Amino acid sequence: TKIGGAMVPAVTDTFFTALTAGFNGMPVIKTALKTIGGLATHGQDRITLNQIGLLGEYALNRAVSANRLSEVWGYGASARFADMTVRASGLNYWTTSLKETFQLEMAANLGRQVGKTFDKLPRRIRKSLERYGINSTDWNLVRGNELYSSAKLMDFSKIENKDTLTKFVAML
């Protein structure tokens, strides 16, 4: 089927992940290498994402996409077969691993910036935040929080303001 062959062109996702990293002010080569390496650390990445408050997004995405994909893949046996094919081809694992690794790298990159005021952030990072409606008030709320672990990840589970939290989770 065509779905089963989707993994072949998905290999270029690493390139687009690196491009996105550069666009958002993240280290390009480091992000690309971590993305490839993330395939091996996928399980630990999920634990870390959960601890910094980002894993719940996957349950929400799955629920929303289940309804949307029923229009494309159908219902019942045909939907189960399509889902099984995507999982068996490795595409589901690949896509999830890329997404999780990118989120961790973004959390690390933001963690490295907490000593800077919003106006002193590198231009690409500031523009990335602004695209999601994150302003200096939001940044100051978040940058004052304790970082997660020795990896110095921005810990989104510590954000108490729901509007600010929504903006950061949308960005990631």
Side-chain angles (χ1 to χ4, degrees), residues 109-121 139-140 142-145 147 154:
N109 194 43
L110 292 173
R112 288 188 291 271
Q113 308 302 322
V114 296
K116 299 174 183 169
T117 60
F118 191 77
D119 60 322
K120 297 293 183 194
L121 289 171
W139 178 249
N140 286 331
V142 174
R143 76 186 191 108
N145 292 336
L147 296 176
M154 184 166 279

Side-chain angles (χ1 to χ4, degrees), residues 54-157:
L54 292 176
L55 201 57
E57 173 207 4
Y58 292 105
L60 182 60
N61 280 348
R62 185 111 170 126
V64 169
S65 66
N67 185 40
R68 181 178 53 85
L69 292 176
S70 66
E71 296 172 9
V72 177
W73 289 352
Y75 298 93
S78 64
R80 285 191 300 277
F81 178 74
D83 185 56
M84 179 191 71
T85 304
V86 169
R87 289 177 184 275
S89 72
L91 187 59
N92 188 55
Y93 182 82
W94 173 261
T95 303
T96 303
S97 293
L98 290 177
K99 184 175 182 179
E100 290 175 353
T101 304
F102 187 85
Q103 287 178 324
L104 285 172
E105 275 306 298
M106 179 65 89
N109 194 43
L110 292 173
R112 288 188 291 271
Q113 308 302 322
V114 296
K116 299 174 183 169
T117 60
F118 191 77
D119 60 322
K120 297 293 183 194
L121 289 171
R123 186 182 62 78
R124 286 186 177 179
I125 294 173
R126 193 177 62 254
K127 292 293 183 191
S128 178
L129 295 171
E130 288 172 345
R131 273 192 297 278
Y132 290 90
I134 299 168
N135 55 33
S136 60
T137 304
D138 297 318
W139 178 249
N140 286 331
L141 284 172
V142 174
R143 76 186 191 108
N145 292 336
E146 185 178 331
L147 296 176
Y148 176 81
S149 82
S150 61
K152 300 198 182 311
L153 301 173
M154 184 166 279
D155 190 346
F156 301 96
S157 69

